[in-house]
Amino acid sequence: MQIILSFDVEEHFRIEAAAGLVIDPALKARYCARLEPSTRWLLDQLGSAEVKATFFIVGQIAQHNPALVRVIHRAGHEVASHGWDHQRVHNFTPAAFREDIRKSKDALEQVTGEPVRGYRAPTFSIVQQTAWALDVLAELDMVYDSSIYPVRHDRYGVPAAPRAPFLAQGPHRSILELPPATLRCLGINTPMGGGGYFRLFPLFLLERALRQAERDCSPPVATLYFHPWEFDPDQERLPLSPLNRFRTYVGLHRSRLRLTTLLAKHRFVRAIDVAKQLDHQRGSLACFPVVAAPSWHGHPPHGGRPHSPLLADTVSAERL
């Protein structure tokens, strides 16, 4: 059993619940200032527990606060992409999405000096309607994606997707997918990988989800995700609707204790390390078409073989 520990690093005002709000520039500045202390608190906890994690970082942060990205990287954590400015994939055309990923990769790589190989879409926004994004990620030689949540939700989710790592098939290409953890109950996948679910549900349900993944998932891998702002209980609250306010701030006062409890109880790994291991098992991984592929005329592109940038780019693989 391997548990991937990951953090989505963006300022609090960028969350999807705040989309469309007019936020005072002074408040934005205060949220930007609070990002570094909360992230450094996380780094301190990870260091004390001798845990390495994956940080999916918004590209603009590498531009505005390169020192923070550098500290994360020098501590041995993986730096991956969370897009340029935390826009959902629904907001892009394929060409615009390609540019968004290119900009974020370039900004992060300029700071760390190492290739960015992983991606997580803001708000898990790779769904059936945006499955074309998988093609773009594969074409840009991303090794893995962690954007498809196998649940039913009003904002995201592909309910029929596998709960274990799988090859996510776009219209033309495929890429390794590392889905967030779920708890299977009464035939339904309940989201349990982190975020508001971590703060809302009793911790024993997350433990049950991890045991279930070890027993039922092949390969036995679970992915957890959190945000630095979730460990900043004293931050100012955004002017959200009642439902969004509940989703965003429920359990914020207990998130630090819960995380330290998890760190003391389990061993964790980086997403890229799991992806490198699974690259040698691609033939045995489940293949799931996120959207129905078009009919091919003749042979499918690349002989129908799943894209494998780790095998195709030996030099880059050796740098990871």
Side-chain angles (χ1 to χ4, degrees):
M1 175 64 175
Q2 297 189 93
I3 307 173
I4 296 170
L5 181 62
S6 65
F7 298 91
D8 296 351
V9 183
E10 76 264 2
E11 302 92 342
H12 182 45
F13 67 84
R14 296 185 189 269
I15 64 173
E16 182 62 24
L21 290 181
V22 178
I23 302 174
D24 185 88
L27 180 57
K28 285 187 177 182
R30 290 195 290 274
Y31 280 132
C32 288
R34 297 189 78 95
L35 177 65
E36 181 161 345
S38 57
T39 304
R40 286 183 178 268
W41 181 86
L42 288 172
L43 293 173
D44 289 343
Q45 306 314 305
L46 297 177
S48 297
E50 299 183 343
V51 168
K52 304 302 181 188
T54 293
F55 285 74
F56 294 94
I57 305 176
V58 167
Q60 282 187 341
I61 293 173
Q63 186 179 68
H64 300 151
N65 193 349
L68 180 60
V69 178
R70 198 169 293 117
V71 166
I72 293 170
H73 176 255
R74 288 178 177 172
H77 305 294
E78 178 192 2
V79 171
S81 171
H82 201 33
W84 173 247
D85 58 356
H86 205 257
Q87 290 194 55
R88 298 173 76 216
V89 179
H90 298 74
N91 295 338
F92 295 110
T93 63
F97 180 68
R98 177 186 293 273
E99 179 61 14
D100 181 87
I101 300 302
R102 186 200 64 76
K103 284 177 63 178
S104 69
K105 274 174 55 68
D106 183 66
L108 295 167
E109 290 171 353
Q110 288 293 325
V111 174
T112 66
E114 290 192 7
V116 168
R117 293 304 211 179
Y119 174 74
R120 175 173 290 150
T123 323
F124 301 108
S125 52
I126 294 184
V127 294
Q128 288 183 323
Q129 297 92 333
T130 56
W132 50 262
L134 299 169
D135 286 0
V136 176
L137 294 174
E139 290 163 4
L140 292 175
D141 283 337
M142 286 295 198
V143 172
Y144 70 89
D145 175 61
S146 185
S147 307
I148 297 178
Y149 217 147
V151 299
R152 192 176 303 279
H153 190 276
D154 60 340
R155 290 179 180 159
Y156 51 77
V158 182
R163 299 168 61 215
F166 64 96
L167 295 178
Q169 297 176 337
H172 303 291
R173 292 194 176 215
S174 64
I175 187 170
L176 174 66
E177 185 67 35
L178 302 174
T182 58
L183 177 65
R184 186 76 172 171
C185 184
L186 300 176
I188 298 174
N189 294 340
T190 303
M192 204 61 63
Y197 313 109
F198 173 72
R199 293 179 276 110
L200 172 63
F201 294 130
L203 198 54
F204 78 83
L205 289 179
L206 175 56
E207 295 289 349
R208 182 176 297 176
L210 295 177
R211 291 194 300 271
Q212 196 178 84
E214 183 174 21
R215 184 188 70 227
D216 299 340
C217 291
S218 180
V221 176
T223 299
L224 304 183
Y225 67 93
F226 307 98
H227 307 81
W229 62 263
E230 293 183 284
F231 303 95
D232 183 9
D234 298 326
Q235 66 193 289
E236 295 178 72
R237 292 340 191 215
L238 288 164
L240 305 175
S241 68
L243 175 59
N244 283 336
R245 186 177 181 86
F246 174 78
R247 283 176 165 178
T248 302
Y249 299 118
V250 62
L252 210 66
H253 63 283
R254 56 176 172 254
S255 58
R256 288 193 170 196
L257 178 59
R258 286 191 168 188
L259 181 66
T260 55
T261 300
L262 275 181
L263 292 177
K265 190 170 183 178
H266 298 281
R267 299 186 66 179
F268 298 92
V269 294
R270 307 183 308 172
I272 188 60
D273 298 323
V274 173
K276 289 165 66 175
Q277 294 171 18
L278 295 181
D279 193 66
H280 300 287
Q281 306 174 34
R282 293 180 75 88
S284 63
L285 294 178
C287 296
F288 178 80
V290 181
V291 66
S295 299
W296 305 115
H297 297 286
H299 296 290
H302 315 292
R305 298 178 62 188
H307 175 69
S308 178
L310 279 176
L311 295 179
D313 186 353
T314 305
V315 175
S316 297
E318 290 175 349
R319 293 177 61 190
L320 292 173

